[in-house]
Amino acid sequence: MVLRTIIFVLIWVFVLQFKLMKNSNQESEASAAFWERERKANFTRKKPLPVDDYIKIPLEQLPFSTVDDPQEQEIQQQITSLSKEPILNVSDMTNTDIKLTYGSGNFQLIARYDQNFQQLQQLLKKWAILLYEHGKKADAKTVLEYSIYLGCDISKSYTLLADIYQEEQDYISIQDLMDVVQNLHTLMKDSILRQLKERLPK
């Protein structure tokens, strides 16, 4: 009985060591591959920037108007000003991906263009909230749908748009919204999906 126990323990220790060694080798290979890819990225030459990929804000399609609310005036002015700047959405790319795609020399430039995109998303969200609070639901929906079209990953933009769809009893659009969220690269994906599902009929 004792001998059998000793043999069992030895086998268990051997299997455990084998698994640990295998995991260690896999981690070493993954680490080596990562650093090799990063090395290539750092030596990637500048490439022509993708002018066709720049986001062009369709000012004529968004609900700009003369308003008394100073906060909404400021948001409209900021969006108009931002429309003259290069805007890129690279939120689903790692820093290594960006350098490999555009060249390491363009990294800071691309990062700034992505910051413009993040600013645009925040402005569109704030604008939509104001429009909704002022009873302009159709205009709020236009702004939010444009934001989602651009690849927005802001939770509030999705839930507010879902609220509007719910008020319109447009549950198919909420389902479509959930399909969009499924493809998002964000840690908030599950949370957003859960909130959208709550807006569907029980």
Side-chain angles (χ1 to χ4, degrees):
M1 183 69 181
V2 174
L3 180 60
R4 183 182 300 175
T5 302
I6 293 174
I7 292 174
F8 175 79
V9 170
L10 289 174
I11 292 174
W12 182 82
V13 170
F14 174 79
V15 171
L16 180 61
Q17 288 180 334
F18 176 78
K19 287 183 176 180
L20 290 173
M21 185 181 300
K22 184 178 180 181
N23 288 339
S24 177
N25 289 338
Q26 290 176 340
E27 289 176 2
S28 296
E29 290 174 2
S31 178
F34 169 81
W35 288 112
E36 174 60 20
R37 195 163 180 269
E38 180 65 14
R39 185 191 67 79
K40 289 181 179 179
N42 288 331
F43 285 98
T44 300
R45 294 182 178 181
K46 276 188 177 182
K47 299 178 182 180
L49 294 179
V51 178
D52 291 340
D53 292 343
Y54 290 166
I55 293 171
K56 301 175 181 64
I57 303 174
L59 300 179
E60 70 286 349
Q61 296 177 24
L62 295 175
F64 286 92
S65 63
T66 302
V67 292
D68 295 328
D69 187 330
Q71 189 176 359
E72 188 175 347
Q73 286 179 1
E74 177 64 20
I75 289 174
Q76 290 191 28
Q77 290 172 1
Q78 289 182 11
I79 293 176
T80 301
S81 177
L82 195 58
S83 70
K84 301 170 186 175
E85 299 293 327
I87 305 172
L88 273 176
N89 177 13
V90 292
S91 56
D92 61 343
M93 300 175 69
T94 65
N95 290 346
T96 303
D97 291 334
I98 292 173
K99 287 184 283 189
L100 284 170
T101 303
Y102 302 112
S104 58
N106 283 326
F107 180 78
Q108 295 298 329
L109 204 58
I110 296 297
R112 181 161 62 85
Y113 296 169
D114 185 61
Q115 287 177 356
N116 289 342
F117 173 76
Q118 301 305 326
Q119 182 184 1
L120 174 61
Q121 294 304 298
Q122 291 293 335
L123 288 169
L124 291 173
K125 179 199 69 174
K126 292 177 181 178
W127 191 15
I129 291 173
L130 285 175
L131 289 168
Y132 183 79
E133 291 175 346
H134 293 163
K136 302 176 182 179
K137 294 181 182 178
D139 287 343
K141 183 167 73 169
T142 297
V143 171
L144 290 167
E145 286 179 338
Y146 173 63
S147 180
I148 302 306
Y149 166 77
L150 293 180
C152 170
D153 60 0
I154 298 176
S155 175
K156 180 63 176 179
S157 296
Y158 285 91
T159 56
L160 180 55
L161 182 55
D163 285 339
I164 296 173
Y165 289 150
Q166 185 182 38
E167 291 166 9
E168 297 174 346
Q169 296 186 343
D170 184 0
Y171 301 114
I172 293 178
S173 290
I174 296 179
Q175 290 282 6
D176 291 341
L177 209 53
M178 293 176 70
D179 291 339
V180 172
V181 175
Q182 287 285 3
N183 295 317
L184 288 180
H185 299 277
T186 173
L187 296 175
M188 296 297 294
K189 178 192 294 188
D190 291 341
S191 174
I192 297 172
L193 285 172
R194 185 167 57 252
Q195 293 180 74
L196 295 185
K197 189 175 182 180
E198 291 172 353
R199 287 157 172 80
L200 292 172
K202 304 300 183 185

